[in-house]
Amino acid sequence: MLVGSIEAGGTKFVCAVGNGDYQVKDQVRIPTTTPAETLKRTADYFKRHPVSAIGVASFGPIEIRQNSSKYGFITKTPKPGWQDTDFVGYLKRELDVPIFFTTDVNGSAYGEYVMSTLSNEKIDSLVYYTIGTGVGGGAVVNGQLLGAIGHPEMGHVLLKRHPDDLDFPGVCPFHGDCLEGLVSGPTFEARLNRPGEDVPFSHPVWNILSYYVAQAALQVTLELRPNKIIFGGGVSSEKFLQKVRRDFAKLLNGYVEVPGLERYLTMPEIPNNGSATVGNFAMAAKLLRE
Ligand code: ZN
């Protein structure tokens, strides 16, 4: 049995074909241009590489309520040209296979969850944050994705401001200084006029970012009590997580018991940004089983 994965990002679509063990058999990267062109190239790929079902993890916001007339749409995205795009409807018409549609971070969270069930780790709850061009978070609790009237939007929570960062207004077009507005990749340009990859870890801005990310980790720890919290995306790195763990330990202040922080606040287990692809394969396979 072959299953498909579409990881729909703001700069590229990664389409892949996998087998029942979630191994990638073929993969292609399609640049994200207009919806018409990008979706046509995506459908053409799966016409050449037929699969029995497809899992889609998309940038958002997206409509995931099955009873909505806009189910399967990308909705209010700031990405030019992509507002109100009928993503699932187009693929269904072109490919006629079952499609599971979720957010990019939910796909990644589910991939990491599935991987843990295949390893000795066998955890049943985790949170996955991506910290990159935007910030988002997805959660698996007792093996299920969270969210009823929509998907979680953990990137837009409000935080206590760092005392050395009070003048920075943040970059979120909706909230200014929400988590995304304070720690996403574009905040480096906004604060320092240079990209994050040019800012050494000795720079104090990393302590400001780690304070905010640690607060997000604290909140989700207290709200969901997951087995672990994973950080992906271009801003995340092991060096950055060392700072986050330090700040998290201070903020938690021993209030509840959590696993060792090296294991609790961690990078993805699946290498090369592959979490969402595994998650998509697994969700497609789950659709076929149901
Ligand atoms: Zn926001």
Side-chain angles (χ1 to χ4, degrees):
M1 177 199 66
L2 293 176
V3 287
S5 163
I6 301 171
E7 195 186 346
T11 55
K12 64 179 184 300
F13 274 38
V14 181
C15 301
V17 174
N19 64 12
D21 295 327
Y22 314 130
Q23 304 289 324
V24 175
K25 293 288 151 193
D26 193 77
Q27 195 169 43
V28 70
R29 282 156 203 271
I30 295 168
T32 309
T33 55
T34 62
E37 181 180 47
T38 313
L39 292 178
K40 178 171 189 312
R41 291 186 66 185
T42 299
D44 287 348
Y45 172 77
F46 285 106
K47 285 174 186 172
R48 292 194 303 276
H49 300 86
V51 293
S52 304
I54 299 175
V56 179
S58 175
F59 70 92
I62 62 176
E63 180 56 79
I64 60 168
R65 289 174 295 184
Q66 303 265 4
N67 60 358
S68 164
S69 60
K70 290 285 175 79
Y71 171 73
F73 278 58
I74 293 176
T75 58
K76 264 188 264 170
T77 177
K79 186 161 178 61
W82 283 82
Q83 293 87 3
D84 252 350
T85 295
D86 184 8
F87 197 144
V88 172
Y90 177 84
L91 291 179
K92 280 256 181 205
R93 285 191 296 278
E94 293 292 316
L95 301 170
D96 194 28
V97 293
I99 291 172
F100 188 92
F101 188 53
T102 192
T103 60
D104 40 14
V105 279
N106 270 351
S108 296
Y110 201 69
E112 289 289 323
Y113 160 70
V114 165
M115 198 47 78
S116 85
T117 64
L118 298 175
S119 73
N120 288 329
E121 202 178 22
K122 298 210 191 321
I123 59 177
D124 56 18
S125 300
L126 61 79
V127 173
Y128 186 104
Y129 281 101
T130 184
I131 306 176
T133 312
V135 177
V140 174
V141 174
N142 298 328
Q144 303 291 327
L145 291 170
L146 279 191
I149 60 165
H151 51 81
E153 284 283 1
M154 299 186 194
H156 294 267
V157 297
L158 301 180
L159 307 161
K160 190 196 283 185
R161 296 298 300 269
H162 190 288
D164 298 337
D165 192 45
L166 297 177
D167 294 335
F168 180 60
V171 301
C172 175
F174 292 93
H175 318 110
D177 62 350
C178 64
L179 177 63
E180 175 172 300
L182 291 172
V183 308
S184 60
T187 62
F188 287 97
E189 292 281 0
R191 282 194 183 92
L192 306 170
N193 284 314
R194 54 184 160 144
E197 51 266 34
D198 293 351
V199 181
F201 282 103
S202 53
H203 194 288
V205 74
W206 284 106
N207 294 327
I208 291 172
L209 262 61
S210 72
Y211 178 65
Y212 295 137
V213 172
Q215 286 186 58
L218 175 70
Q219 289 177 11
V220 90
T221 292
L222 299 174
E223 286 160 1
L224 300 181
R225 299 294 271 127
N227 294 107
K228 68 174 176 177
I229 304 173
I230 300 162
F231 296 90
V235 174
S236 302
S237 66
E238 184 54 37
K239 277 194 163 161
F240 178 54
L241 284 191
Q242 287 170 13
K243 292 178 184 288
V244 174
R245 291 183 194 116
R246 173 202 63 195
D247 291 345
F248 177 86
K250 272 189 232 158
L251 291 168
L252 183 65
N253 198 21
Y255 181 58
V256 292
E257 203 170 306
V258 292
L261 294 190
E262 302 274 322
R263 276 182 301 131
Y264 184 60
L265 304 178
T266 174
M267 299 284 287
E269 289 288 327
I270 302 168
N272 306 320
N273 296 318
S275 309
T277 299
V278 172
N280 289 340
F281 288 157
M283 289 189 287
K286 189 162 176 260
L287 271 187
L288 292 173
R289 284 196 304 274
E290 285 162 0

